[in-house]
Amino acid sequence: MAQSKVEAALVVRNTQGDTLVSIPMPEGATWCLEWNHSVTGIRVQDCYRHHAGRMVLERSHQPDFAAGLGHVLGRGRQVSDGDGGYWIEDINEPVPGNRYRLRVGSLAVNHRLLHEGRRISLSEQAADQAVTIQLQTDP
């Protein structure tokens, strides 16, 4: 019997439950949350994949070892990005409940979603507010 695909969307909601972003996210699709480090201003990325109905953190890009950043032994593997920074590859951690809360930074931090060449600024919509980022799957 063929396994059916899990239909899903990446949804960002504010604390009032209003949907700020909704992006179809079929099985295997990837996206990243990107932001500018609040101290150094360097660009950081956490990248996810829809895998079998789960939001899975696959890898993270960190251009240097700024405050709060760094590789944790046993959690993926660190490889050079060829430009002075590094990727932490093969993290492969399911996100509990397929969601997490984020305090969206100011426009200087500019939290943004990257998907299929698009950049969607969460900071333009919800700076200094809490949001929930969720891989929402149909029952």
Side-chain angles (χ1 to χ4, degrees):
M1 175 182 258
Q3 198 173 18
S4 64
K5 288 186 178 181
V6 176
E7 296 298 320
L10 184 66
V11 179
V12 179
R13 289 189 179 91
N14 62 20
T15 55
Q16 292 78 35
D18 300 322
T19 299
L20 304 177
V21 176
S22 182
I23 305 168
M25 205 58 62
E27 171 69 28
T30 61
W31 69 95
C32 296
L33 178 67
E34 178 180 73
W35 67 97
N36 305 323
H37 190 277
S38 61
V39 175
T40 64
I42 61 173
R43 188 178 62 195
V44 181
Q45 290 183 358
D46 284 339
C47 298
Y48 302 84
R49 176 177 300 280
H50 173 189
H51 177 72
R54 301 290 312 264
M55 176 191 291
V56 177
L57 175 61
E58 286 195 316
R59 61 193 206 144
S60 182
H61 183 256
Q62 302 175 5
D64 76 22
F65 292 96
L69 300 179
H71 176 236
V72 176
L73 287 177
R75 184 176 186 251
R77 60 186 174 82
Q78 181 178 321
V79 297
S80 173
D81 70 359
D83 198 27
Y86 61 96
W87 282 98
I88 302 171
E89 298 280 358
D90 302 323
I91 298 172
N92 299 324
E93 289 180 357
V95 175
N98 281 348
R99 72 180 75 195
Y100 60 92
R101 303 243 325 159
L102 172 71
R103 170 72 58 184
V104 178
S106 69
L107 284 175
V109 171
N110 195 16
H111 280 104
R112 52 217 178 261
L113 293 173
L114 281 59
H115 176 64
E116 294 185 344
R118 291 179 51 210
R119 279 187 160 77
I120 301 167
S121 175
L122 300 179
S123 294
E124 288 178 359
Q125 300 180 56
D128 301 318
Q129 297 177 42
V131 299
T132 300
I133 299 176
Q134 175 181 8
L135 181 66
Q136 183 174 322
T137 57
D138 289 339

